[in-house]
Amino acid sequence: MTTHGSTQLPSTSVNPAQTPLLPPSPAGSFDKSLAEWHTWPANLISRTALMNPSTLRSYRSQLDAAELDLLADRESEVEVRFRDLEVDGKALAKKNVHSEEKLRDWLGIVKKPNTANSPPTLVSTTKRDPKSRFIYIYANHSRDRLRITKSMLTMILSFHQVMPEYLDFLRSFGLQPAARDLYFSGFRRQIALKKPPVAPNLDALGRSTQQYQIAYNVKGVTAKSETEWSIRNAAIYHKYDVVSDRAVWIVTKGGDDLYESYKELTDSGGRPEDRAFNSAEHCFLTSLAPHLLFCRWAVDDWRGYLRWLEHKVEKESLLGVLGPREPGQRPKRYQARDVQHMQYWQERTSQVVVVLEGNIEVMLSLGQFYQGLAHDDRFPRRGCAGEIADFVSQLDVMIAGLRNDVSRANALVKTTADRKELIIQHRQNEAEERMHRLNKNMEEETLVVRIITLVTLVYLPATFVSTLFSTDIIKYQDDEFPNGKFSEVAMIRWIQVTVPLTIMTLIAAWVGKWWASRASGDEREAIERQDKPLMRWRYTEVFLPWRWFGRNTRPPAVSLPMNALPP
């Protein structure tokens, strides 16, 4: 019986595409399945109940859609690394494959023409599978295309009959301006420990159909430089044949660091038990060591990354906490960009929490999977229950370390949020201080204006009289008129000029004031129109429609507090 299960953190939904799907290969027709390698996963021999045609069609459409950004388009860019253990009497065989032809040679796939003059069929009869095969698919860096073509990828996946769920993890790689699917973590499994009624004959390859497959991803962090860190993703696939005790590993990652780590694990400098295949139990136990290697990679360096984040937050906000704020002192003046910086560090720290929790869930699922195998009556290696318990205990130690890092990251998120609010409060206080100084200056200016007004009122009558007497309306300098001479004509001309000029001055002042008020009102209405889509139910006019007050009557717009707005 075949079972399938998954433990998954946030994932993306998939819309099935209408790509034509070939009918499934009949049981026992591995050659036919391999001949149709370009149709993977439609050509898989063993299928679970969930692997219906629409699901396989969806996976094919996903691979087609992702090909441009995910995979290399020229063989000159290709490099796939193989590391086979215990193959053809050799302890180790390794090769870097750079073309599809060399890939077929390494896998032992040959073209054999049919007798009916039909197109040649790909068959695999020249090589048996090694006891352990490690395939490393990588990119030059975490945001570059994988160094493998679509044709070579589907050939590898078809030859090893890889379950289609592994594509969920592959799609996180490829060309991307920013890290993609950073919050996606998952664990997939497919178990087939009982021999099916109708099974293909895979003796030439040294395989059986009794196996389990698992796929998952973990994330580690790497210091790109002294001033920047990067979170990296690794996708792991593992299959173990419980009859022939053969294992397959496919690891996908940006960079070759995990390959070098696996190389050290299986080289002569590593532990002998990590490359021992002299018994069925040793073969199974050898398959546990790489899991610990990958999980250890996902645990390392998080402490250093958190320390770096703490330093950044401290540097940005320490003066906001301990800086001088007493009168007469010169405190740090915070700008809007300082609030933006604190928001940025808060988001990066929250990102750490999600990624670490994803790693924890994956490791828990991995441990539960092997614990379930140890208690499954169909699993022929139940005698390894003690070693499985040791394996799970080592996972528990790493999980405990990650949980400590999560607690530390949560504390940093809270600290960052609190200090961001403190900086905002400092900015508000600075604005209030500036307003207070402005009001004080306005009060002083008002006092000066009042003094000037008082002086003007005192001197205005005398000024008016002096000005009037200096004109030709009244003259005292004429000897003929010692008591003064009044000119009615001069008085009339003075009135004719002064009164219209005064009226024109008042009209010009009124027009200027009206124009300024209208411009200010238009600007305020423009701002309200921009804010209205963001604050949907901002005014009481939503609840008091204009038509209730008449066609041309608008009720007063009263702002509501944001916490009183409907959702």
Side-chain angles (χ1 to χ4, degrees):
M1 181 175 64
T2 302
T3 61
H4 180 277
S6 67
T7 301
Q8 178 182 342
L9 292 175
S11 178
T12 53
S13 59
V14 177
N15 295 324
Q18 302 301 322
T19 306
L21 187 65
L22 296 177
S25 302
S29 181
F30 176 77
D31 291 350
K32 184 176 186 300
S33 173
L34 192 57
E36 299 169 353
W37 50 267
H38 58 282
T39 67
W40 182 90
N43 61 333
L44 294 177
I45 298 174
S46 300
R47 301 183 182 180
T48 66
L50 296 178
M51 293 168 59
N52 53 65
S54 62
T55 301
L56 298 179
R57 188 184 306 120
S58 174
Y59 277 112
R60 283 192 58 194
S61 64
Q62 290 176 44
L63 182 58
D64 293 339
E67 177 185 1
L68 183 62
D69 293 333
L70 178 62
L71 304 171
D73 54 0
R74 297 188 300 271
E75 284 196 347
S76 59
E77 303 172 353
V78 168
E79 181 173 281
V80 182
R81 299 183 179 181
F82 283 81
R83 191 172 181 84
D84 295 347
L85 303 179
E86 293 295 325
V87 54
D88 296 333
K90 297 179 181 179
L92 173 65
K94 56 185 178 180
K95 186 175 182 64
N96 294 345
V97 174
H98 297 90
S99 67
E100 184 176 322
E101 180 181 0
K102 293 181 179 179
L103 175 62
R104 287 198 302 266
D105 292 341
W106 185 258
L107 297 178
I109 301 174
V110 296
K111 291 184 178 181
K112 182 179 179 181
N114 289 335
T115 56
N117 294 325
S118 60
T121 300
L122 292 175
V123 295
S124 174
T125 55
T126 62
K127 290 185 179 180
R128 292 173 65 85
D129 290 344
K131 278 294 184 179
S132 178
R133 167 166 284 164
F134 183 83
I135 305 173
Y136 196 70
I137 302 172
Y138 73 106
N140 291 328
H141 54 80
S142 59
R143 297 181 186 177
D144 196 6
R145 291 188 182 95
L146 298 176
R147 301 185 63 179
I148 186 173
T149 63
K150 179 184 176 183
S151 176
M152 295 175 65
L153 176 65
T154 54
M155 181 180 294
I156 291 173
L157 299 180
S158 297
F159 181 82
H160 296 286
Q161 295 289 292
V162 176
M163 61 183 185
E165 288 85 349
Y166 188 54
L167 183 61
D168 293 336
F169 305 102
L170 288 179
R171 291 172 59 220
S172 298
F173 297 92
L175 286 176
Q176 47 194 290
R180 184 168 55 201
D181 285 345
L182 193 60
Y183 295 153
F184 169 75
S185 292
F187 183 88
R188 306 286 194 274
R189 63 179 183 180
Q190 182 176 314
I191 307 175
L193 301 178
K194 185 178 180 181
K195 186 175 181 179
V198 180
N201 184 0
L202 303 175
D203 292 341
L205 296 171
R207 301 184 195 174
S208 75
T209 56
Q210 296 170 252
Q211 61 190 13
Y212 61 80
Q213 301 182 70
I214 56 176
Y216 59 90
N217 69 331
V218 288
K219 297 180 179 68
V221 65
T222 304
K224 297 170 60 177
S225 64
E226 294 182 357
T227 59
E228 188 55 51
W229 290 65
S230 176
I231 297 177
R232 306 292 175 85
N233 183 36
I236 316 298
Y237 168 82
H238 174 56
K239 179 172 68 173
Y240 189 82
D241 191 317
V242 298
V243 175
S244 64
D245 294 297
R246 299 177 188 275
V248 175
W249 297 91
I250 302 177
V251 176
T252 305
K253 188 186 177 296
D256 61 353
D257 52 335
L258 273 186
Y259 176 81
E260 295 298 327
S261 298
Y262 181 83
K263 179 180 176 182
E264 293 177 357
L265 177 73
T266 54
D267 265 345
S268 57
R271 299 191 315 162
E273 54 268 35
D274 291 335
R275 57 182 187 279
F277 302 96
N278 51 347
S279 68
E281 288 75 14
H282 287 158
C283 291
F284 173 72
L285 297 179
T286 300
S287 70
L288 299 179
H291 288 305
L292 296 176
L293 172 69
F294 304 141
C295 292
R296 171 54 60 186
W297 171 83
V299 172
D300 289 340
D301 288 340
W302 286 106
R303 182 184 300 178
Y305 182 42
L306 287 171
R307 188 186 304 114
W308 180 76
L309 289 174
E310 290 168 348
H311 171 72
K312 289 293 185 180
V313 172
E314 194 79 3
K315 181 179 178 181
E316 294 280 350
S317 62
L318 184 60
L319 288 178
V321 179
L322 302 177
R325 287 288 162 182
E326 298 299 327
Q329 296 179 331
R330 298 182 62 183
K332 175 179 172 59
R333 298 295 181 182
Y334 284 101
Q335 307 295 328
R337 64 176 177 270
D338 296 313
V339 180
Q340 292 176 320
H341 290 170
M342 294 304 295
Q343 179 66 30
Y344 172 75
W345 296 120
Q346 182 180 353
E347 290 179 1
R348 286 196 64 164
T349 311
S350 300
Q351 184 182 83
V352 172
V353 175
V354 177
V355 171
L356 291 180
E357 289 178 345
N359 284 349
I360 290 173
E361 291 298 322
V362 168
M363 293 182 189
L364 286 173
S365 300
L366 182 62
Q368 292 168 1
F369 171 77
Y370 278 99
Q371 285 178 324
L373 283 181
H375 295 89
D376 194 328
D377 294 336
R378 301 168 299 168
F379 184 56
R381 304 292 174 262
R382 296 183 65 193
C384 298
E387 287 77 3
I388 291 177
D390 293 339
F391 168 77
V392 173
S393 67
Q394 294 182 66
L395 288 178
D396 290 339
V397 171
M398 289 187 279
I399 290 171
L402 288 179
R403 283 176 172 159
N404 288 335
D405 291 337
V406 169
S407 299
R408 182 176 177 179
N410 280 323
L412 183 57
V413 169
K414 186 178 185 304
T415 299
T416 307
D418 292 342
R419 294 194 177 185
K420 182 183 69 175
E421 292 300 323
L422 182 61
I423 291 175
I424 293 174
Q425 185 63 42
H426 286 332
R427 283 180 50 80
Q428 293 174 349
N429 292 340
E430 292 168 3
E432 291 175 0
E433 291 174 1
R434 287 193 296 270
M435 186 61 66
H436 176 71
R437 290 195 299 270
L438 179 62
N439 290 338
K440 185 177 180 179
N441 293 336
M442 291 180 63
E443 290 177 359
E444 295 176 352
E445 292 173 358
T446 301
L447 180 60
V448 172
V449 170
R450 288 180 180 178
I451 294 174
I452 294 174
T453 302
L454 180 61
V455 172
T456 302
L457 291 176
V458 171
Y459 285 95
L460 182 61
T463 303
F464 174 76
V465 171
S466 298
T467 303
L468 182 65
F469 283 0
S470 66
T471 63
D472 292 336
I473 298 175
I474 299 177
K475 289 185 177 181
Y476 291 97
Q477 292 83 4
D478 197 341
D479 295 337
E480 296 181 4
F481 302 95
N483 295 327
K485 178 182 178 181
F486 173 77
S487 175
E488 182 178 358
V489 174
M491 183 67 184
I492 293 174
R493 295 292 181 271
W494 183 83
I495 293 175
Q496 289 175 341
V497 173
T498 302
V499 172
L501 184 61
T502 302
I503 295 174
M504 291 174 60
T505 301
L506 294 175
I507 292 174
W510 182 85
V511 170
K513 180 181 179 182
W514 173 83
W515 180 84
S517 299
R518 180 177 180 182
S520 177
D522 292 342
E523 182 179 356
R524 185 165 51 252
E525 290 181 2
I527 294 175
E528 291 176 356
R529 284 195 300 270
Q530 293 176 358
D531 292 344
K532 199 167 184 179
L534 301 177
M535 301 173 60
R536 296 167 296 165
W537 299 71
R538 182 175 179 180
Y539 298 108
T540 53
E541 64 193 38
V542 175
F543 307 102
L544 301 175
W546 296 359
R547 60 176 180 273
W548 294 2
F549 297 86
R551 178 181 298 273
N552 298 320
T553 304
R554 178 175 178 175
V558 181
S559 297
L560 296 177
M562 290 300 294
N563 55 9
L565 303 181

